Amino acid sequence: MKNAIYGAVIMSCFVAALFFLDFWRRSHDRFFAFFSSAFVLLGTSWLVNVFTGTAVEFNRPVYITRLLAFLLIIIAVIDKNRSPRQ
């Protein structure tokens, strides 16, 4: 049951990344590219967590990818608010 839930989380991360990638392709706004990259990183971190079978511990390198993903989201929001309006 746990693997099915992990699979759903991984799939939803990659689906969200594809949606943001499609939005970026239509608008060429960096905001969507940052979000797409962040969701790819989040999905990859969950995927690595499932395949390695690691328990939830805070000293694993998987959390570095999650930290990078959340930093990308923060950078996207800051970049969107600092860029001039068109």
Side-chain angles (χ1 to χ4, degrees):
M1 186 67 177
K2 187 168 54 171
N3 286 338
I5 293 172
Y6 282 146
V9 169
I10 293 166
M11 181 199 60
S12 63
C13 284
F14 287 127
V15 167
L18 287 175
F19 273 113
F20 282 117
L21 189 64
D22 184 46
F23 294 149
W24 171 78
R25 202 183 66 202
R26 291 180 189 181
S27 67
H28 295 289
D29 191 357
R30 289 186 301 195
F31 180 78
F32 297 124
F34 282 134
F35 264 73
S36 178
S37 301
F39 277 105
V40 166
L41 282 173
L42 285 173
T44 304
S45 74
W46 280 107
L47 192 65
V48 167
N49 197 13
V50 166
F51 279 125
T52 59
T54 57
V56 177
E57 297 177 12
F58 288 106
N59 58 359
R60 298 283 178 194
V62 173
Y63 287 99
I64 294 173
T65 58
R66 292 182 190 170
L67 175 68
L68 290 175
F70 288 118
L71 284 175
L72 275 175
I73 291 173
I74 291 169
I75 289 170
V77 170
I78 291 172
D79 182 55
K80 185 69 173 180
N81 288 328
R82 294 183 118 215
S83 63
R85 304 279 184 224
Q86 292 180 349

